[in-house]
Amino acid sequence: MNKSRLLPLLFCLLTLAASCGDDDEEVSQNEQRLVAKQWQLTTVTLAGGLIPGYSSEGAEPCQQNDFFEFRNDKTFIYDEGATKCNDLVPQQTQGTWSIAGNILRISGEIESLDLPLSDLDLTIKEITNTSMTLTFTDTVLGTGAPGTVTMTAK
């Protein structure tokens, strides 16, 4: 083979080999900040109005210690905390989560929040080590109204 053709081929092979290292998924900063914490709902608004039962303001005392915990294996739990509002509701409910771009998708069913979810897509506005702000469009009630969820890490 001609040496002038071999050099570009060798360069391409070396470039390809260098870029094919380990295929481990690169964990985004949002994922790193999300996992291994207990997240409590701070506020949930719909069309600019606070939804008291889903926010720390106006929540029943038995709801104030509930939390979400997102795990590295892309599962989450919703835990009723130390005090439960309804003994018939399980202590924990599990589901799955994923992040694609700036969308956090939660799949599962959270009975105590009356959220029978197949897939809930939340737009990530900000996730820090101690707080997160997410937005959504209500399709459960069919209003198409904009909503916001804020959570705080314990």
Side-chain angles (χ1 to χ4, degrees), residues 39-50:
W39 292 95
Q40 291 184 303
L41 286 173
T42 308
T43 59
V44 179
T45 61
L46 185 60
L50 186 67

Side-chain angles (χ1 to χ4, degrees), residues 102-120:
N102 67 338
I103 302 297
L104 169 62
R105 174 170 279 183
I106 297 176
S107 301
E109 188 171 318
I110 305 172
E111 189 175 330
S112 61
L113 291 179
D114 294 326
L115 292 176
L117 307 175
S118 54
D119 293 312
L120 176 63

Side-chain angles (χ1 to χ4, degrees), residues 25-60:
E25 286 186 32
E26 184 178 315
V27 179
S28 73
Q29 283 188 343
N30 285 339
E31 289 178 351
Q32 290 174 357
R33 291 176 180 148
L34 185 68
V35 298
K37 294 181 178 104
Q38 294 179 349
W39 292 95
Q40 291 184 303
L41 286 173
T42 308
T43 59
V44 179
T45 61
L46 185 60
L50 186 67
I51 303 175
Y54 297 100
S55 302
S56 56
E57 296 177 31
E60 297 292 324

Side-chain angles (χ1 to χ4, degrees), residues 56-144:
S56 56
E57 296 177 31
E60 297 292 324
C62 59
Q63 293 173 314
Q64 293 177 359
N65 58 11
D66 298 358
F67 63 88
F68 287 88
E69 184 178 310
F70 298 90
R71 298 177 172 167
N72 283 318
D73 65 358
K74 304 294 187 189
T75 62
F76 75 87
I77 60 161
Y78 178 79
D79 193 288
E80 291 288 321
T83 56
K84 291 173 59 174
C85 295
N86 182 347
D87 288 334
L88 300 176
V89 172
Q91 180 67 37
Q92 293 185 339
T93 305
Q94 288 191 312
T96 59
W97 67 273
S98 62
I99 293 179
N102 67 338
I103 302 297
L104 169 62
R105 174 170 279 183
I106 297 176
S107 301
E109 188 171 318
I110 305 172
E111 189 175 330
S112 61
L113 291 179
D114 294 326
L115 292 176
L117 307 175
S118 54
D119 293 312
L120 176 63
D121 289 337
L122 301 160
T123 302
I124 300 167
K125 292 301 179 188
E126 179 183 45
I127 299 179
T128 69
N129 289 326
T130 58
S131 67
M132 73 170 114
T133 303
L134 311 162
T135 60
F136 65 95
T137 301
D138 174 42
T139 56
V140 175
L141 300 175
T143 64

